[in-house]
Amino acid sequence: MPELPEVETVRIGLQQLLPGRVVASVDHDWPKSFPNAEADVQQFLIGASVVEVRRRAKVLLIDLSSQYTLVVHLKMTGQMVFRSQAERFGAGHPNESLVGELPDRSTRVTLTFVDGSKLFFNDQRKFGWVRLLPTTEVMNLDFFKKVGPEPLSADFDWHQLMERLQRRKNTNIKAALLDQTVVAGIGNIYADESLWSAKIHPTTLVRGVKPAQFHKLYDALVAVLRMAIEKGGSTDRNYVSAEGKRGSYLTFASVFRREGQACPRCGTTIIKTRVAGRGTHTCPVCQKPLSE
DNA sequence: CACTTGACCTGTCCGC
DNA sequence: TGCGGACAGGTCAAGT
C-alpha cells in the first residue's frame, strides 16, 4: 500500500496541480481523518494558497501561504485525488481515472479551491489522516523526530544502512527494514522485493547478516525504489496517483503477490509465509532460510 | 530497553 | 444465499 514510491508519485502529481490554488472551503465528516478545530481552519486554511508539496518518509506535506502545512498520512488505503472544475463538470470522461465520481462513500476530507477544482482525501479504512500544523512545527512531531534517513538521499550509503539496521540486531531483517526509525519509507512490498533481490531470507537475524549482504541489500533497495517511482508505484487494491491512475510496478515485481508462480531467477515456486506479522513472499531456493 | 503483538477500520474472499 | 472469520498491512500503544 502507500510506501515511499507511492507517496512520492502522489507528491509529484500534486506539485504539478496544486501550487497557486487558493482554498475556498473544506468538508470532513470523520474526526480522526481531520482533527483540527474549526477556528484554526478558518484562520489558517481558508484563503491560503498552496506553495509547495513535499514528502518526508511516507508523509505528504502541503505547504500553505499561511505558514501552515497540511500533513497527510495515507496509511493503508488513503488516496489524494485532484479534480479540476472541467473534470468535474465537463462533458466526456475526465481522464483514465480508476476512481469514479467524487466524493464517494470513502471520501473523508474534501478541499475546494476558489477556481472550482477539488482535492479529495479518500480512505476506506479510516487509518489515514490530514492535519493542519504550523510549518515550523511539522518536524517536531514525534514521528519525524524518530524517523530514519531517506533511502534515496545522496548522502545515504550502505554503511549507514548497515549501522542503522544493526541497532535491531536481535530481530529479523524484515522487521528491521520495516522499522521507520531505521530507514524511512519501506513497507511490505519493497521489503519483500529488495530482500529477494539481495538473496536474503526475511527471517535472518540482523546479527547474522554479513557486510557484503548489507551492501547488496542497499543496492537492491535503491534500485527497487527508483524503479517503483518510475512506474508510478504499486497498485494492489486501493492506491492511485493524484490523477486517479494506477501504478504499474507490480507488473514488474519478482515475488510480491506472486505466490505459486516461478521465481524469475531460478524458476522455483514462490511461497507466501508470515514474518514480522506480515504476509511475506520468498523464493525458498534463492533466499536460504538460515544464514550462518 | 529490546522486541512482539494487538488495536485502529472497512471491504473482500473463503469455507460451511 | 448468508454468515463468521481470516486477511489486507502503517503506525502507535500496550504487553512480555
Side-chain angles (χ1 to χ4, degrees), chain A residues 174 188 192 195 202 271-282:
Chain A
K174 178 161 179 176
N188 206 36
D192 280 5
L195 287 168
I271 57 171
K272 183 176 180 182
T273 56
R274 189 155 275 266
V275 178
R278 311 287 162 78
T280 297
H281 310 75
T282 53

Side-chain angles (χ1 to χ4, degrees), chain A residues 7 10-11 14 54 58-62 70-72 80:
Chain A
V7 180
V10 173
R11 186 200 68 77
L14 293 179
R54 297 179 290 141
K58 300 172 188 170
V59 181
L60 279 171
L61 304 169
I62 303 174
L70 280 171
V71 185
V72 182
M80 290 290 275

Side-chain angles (χ1 to χ4, degrees), chain A residues 158-168 182 214:
Chain A
W158 76 269
H159 288 277
Q160 259 190 81
L161 179 66
M162 176 170 69
E163 282 162 19
R164 298 186 70 87
L165 285 168
Q166 285 173 337
R167 305 189 322 181
R168 306 274 322 258
V182 169
F214 284 117

Side-chain angles (χ1 to χ4, degrees), chain A residues 82-230:
Chain A
F82 178 84
R83 290 278 165 86
S84 68
Q85 168 98 329
E87 287 166 336
R88 295 199 299 123
F89 297 112
H93 299 285
N95 49 36
E96 61 255 66
S97 178
L98 187 67
V99 284
E101 287 266 314
L102 290 172
D104 63 23
R105 67 181 161 168
S106 69
T107 300
R108 310 298 172 206
V109 183
T110 304
L111 274 190
T112 302
F113 298 100
V114 296
D115 63 3
S117 59
K118 288 178 185 275
L119 179 64
F120 299 93
F121 173 65
N122 280 7
D123 185 20
Q124 178 188 104
R125 289 173 68 180
K126 300 180 175 176
F127 288 175
W129 42 261
V130 178
R131 53 191 288 202
L132 186 64
L133 277 181
T135 304
T136 54
E137 288 180 21
V138 170
M139 290 303 151
N140 293 330
L141 290 172
D142 284 346
F143 176 82
F144 285 123
K145 286 196 282 195
K146 293 185 300 183
V147 72
E150 288 290 322
L152 297 182
S153 77
D155 56 356
F156 184 66
D157 58 24
W158 76 269
H159 288 277
Q160 259 190 81
L161 179 66
M162 176 170 69
E163 282 162 19
R164 298 186 70 87
L165 285 168
Q166 285 173 337
R167 305 189 322 181
R168 306 274 322 258
K169 61 191 167 84
N170 290 320
T171 192
N172 61 66
I173 187 73
K174 178 161 179 176
L177 264 183
L178 292 172
D179 183 343
Q180 300 299 296
T181 71
V182 169
V183 57
I186 314 306
N188 206 36
I189 297 172
Y190 303 108
D192 280 5
E193 289 293 298
S194 54
L195 287 168
W196 174 85
S197 182
K199 301 187 182 179
I200 300 170
H201 195 276
T203 62
T204 310
L205 294 183
V206 172
R207 64 167 188 257
V209 178
K210 297 168 190 166
Q213 290 180 296
F214 284 117
H215 195 161
K216 273 190 181 177
L217 181 58
Y218 170 84
D219 289 345
L221 188 60
V222 169
V224 162
L225 293 176
R226 289 226 170 97
M227 177 165 178
I229 293 170
E230 195 180 305

Side-chain angles (χ1 to χ4, degrees), chain A residues 22-26 38 40-48 111 132:
Chain A
V22 178
V23 178
S25 62
V26 57
E38 188 58 28
D40 286 345
V41 169
Q42 287 302 324
Q43 195 173 354
F44 301 113
L45 182 56
I46 308 303
L111 274 190
L132 186 64

Side-chain angles (χ1 to χ4, degrees), chain A residues 220-289:
Chain A
L221 188 60
V222 169
V224 162
L225 293 176
R226 289 226 170 97
M227 177 165 178
I229 293 170
E230 195 180 305
K231 301 301 177 188
S234 297
T235 296
D236 188 11
R237 307 176 54 85
N238 290 272
Y239 167 73
V240 292
S241 69
E243 299 85 2
K245 295 178 188 169
R246 304 172 61 89
S248 67
Y249 180 82
L250 287 187
T251 308
F252 305 89
S254 300
V255 289
F256 192 82
R257 281 290 141 72
R258 292 191 180 278
E259 59 270 32
Q261 300 181 34
C263 168
R265 204 159 40 204
C266 75
T268 306
T269 302
I270 291 158
I271 57 171
K272 183 176 180 182
T273 56
R274 189 155 275 266
V275 178
R278 311 287 162 78
T280 297
H281 310 75
T282 53
C283 169
V285 170
C286 289
Q287 294 165 278
K288 299 275 191 288

